[in-house]
Every structure is written in C-alpha cells, then in structure tokens.
Amino acid sequence: AAALLLSACGAQVEAGPAAPAQATVTNCGAQVTFPAPQRPVAYDVSGAEKMFALGLAGRMRGYVMNSLGDPSIAGSPWKDDYAKVERLGTSRVTREILVDAKADWVIAGWNSGFSEERGITPKLLDQVGIASYLHTETCWEYPAAKAEVTPLEALYTDLRNLGDIFGVRQRADELVSELKGRFD
C-alpha cells in the first residue's frame, strides 16, 4: 500500500476551499470530531506523504521523521514538499516536539509514533490541546479498537478521512479512485 502511495501522482493541488470548522470521522472504530487543524504535524513517511498526496503541504506546521527515512525523502515524488515543510525532528516524535511547535493536530501510528511506554498517546496529547489521528493500519494495535482492515482499505480510509478533516474530500476521492485503478 505504501509503495502505491509513494508512486502516486505528485501533482500539486491548489489549496481550494478552507477546511470546514470541524469534521467528524471514524478513526479506530470511534467517531471523532476534529476542529479544523491550523498547525498540523505528520510523523514519518506515511503521515507526511498522505498529507502531501492530498496537496496539504502548505497547511502543515511540520513533520517529524527519523533520519533513517532520508532516502525515502530523496526518492519521493513529494521531495519538493518535504523541502517546503519544516522538519521538526530527526528521531521519533515526542510530546515536547509537538508542544514546542504549537501543533494542534498530529497524524501517527500506534507503536510507531504513539506509545504508552514513551508517554505520547492521543489521550495525553489531548490534555495539552493536540488532537490525534491514528493511521487505520495501526488500529489493530490500539487498545480502544481492534478494527482489522486490509492495508489498502486502511490507506483509502485514511485518505478519505483526511479529505474530510482538511476540506479536500474531492481530491481524496480522486486519489483513492486513481490508486484503486492502479491496483486493479
């Protein structure tokens, strides 16, 4: 699934209409209402490139990616977006990085970005005013929901949800359709 996203069209998308004041999506089996993110942060390649694929680089506060991901950046169809968006860290995402960046929303996976052991969970971030979106592919690990979906369905779900959250649902639907066509 990641390979499909990484090789998807790198076309730039105009910002278009502003995000809705809030959007309600299903994330890891729960209905979650997100106020329109003003300072979103993405963790790792998966989060950053989902945002870039939807044309959201210009709306991002930044991204955090382990320096081991540098070859992915160099070969990415969105390497120009990576250059435009501030890199907030070269290791794992932490609560401190997000607070220092004044982030109001973050996308990451369970046990890759979010972790009880490292003290960065959606519940703890919520306490400091940072909303969290979990990659659907990691919901099976999240204690509150054991939603199991195929990797491609997880990708499509995330793109559509991000489309709703950021007010770019048409672009999300077009991208999902394109990816499905390529997969077929």
Side-chain angles (χ1 to χ4, degrees):
L4 277 175
L5 182 60
L6 289 172
S7 64
C9 171
Q12 296 296 314
V13 176
E14 292 298 319
Q22 63 182 26
T24 301
V25 299
T26 300
N27 188 218
C28 291
Q31 291 285 332
V32 182
T33 300
F34 292 102
Q38 302 300 307
R39 299 178 61 79
V41 171
Y43 175 64
D44 213 3
V45 173
S46 184
E49 294 200 357
K50 285 174 186 173
M51 298 285 286
F52 296 157
L54 292 171
L56 298 171
R59 299 188 197 181
M60 292 174 64
R61 169 60 184 93
Y63 70 94
V64 178
M65 187 181 313
N66 189 298
S67 58
L68 295 174
D70 289 351
S72 296
I73 294 172
S76 173
W78 296 284
K79 63 183 168 191
D80 291 342
D81 287 332
Y82 279 110
K84 293 176 194 169
V85 177
E86 183 178 356
R87 188 172 189 168
L88 303 170
T90 57
S91 188
R92 289 186 156 178
V93 68
T94 65
R95 185 175 40 190
E96 292 76 16
I97 288 172
L98 296 173
V99 169
D100 287 348
K102 297 179 176 55
D104 62 353
W105 184 92
V106 62
I107 181 172
W110 190 255
N111 280 341
S112 63
F114 301 121
S115 166
E116 292 281 349
E117 294 79 27
R118 293 188 310 102
I120 181 168
T121 66
K123 184 176 180 178
L124 291 171
L125 290 174
D126 191 50
Q127 293 172 5
V128 293
I130 302 171
S132 302
Y133 182 89
L134 283 94
H135 294 295
T136 300
E137 67 196 34
T138 67
C139 289
W140 63 273
E141 295 180 10
Y142 191 63
K146 305 242 183 241
E148 292 189 34
V149 297
T150 67
L152 285 173
E153 284 303 318
L155 173 62
Y156 303 153
T157 296
D158 288 344
L159 290 171
R160 287 184 189 114
N161 283 346
L162 293 173
D164 288 342
I165 293 166
F166 287 92
V168 293
R169 180 60 187 254
Q170 180 178 346
R171 171 62 184 143
D173 288 340
E174 290 168 358
L175 183 57
V176 167
S177 179
E178 176 188 332
L179 292 171
K180 284 182 175 185
R182 293 179 71 198
F183 184 73
D184 288 344

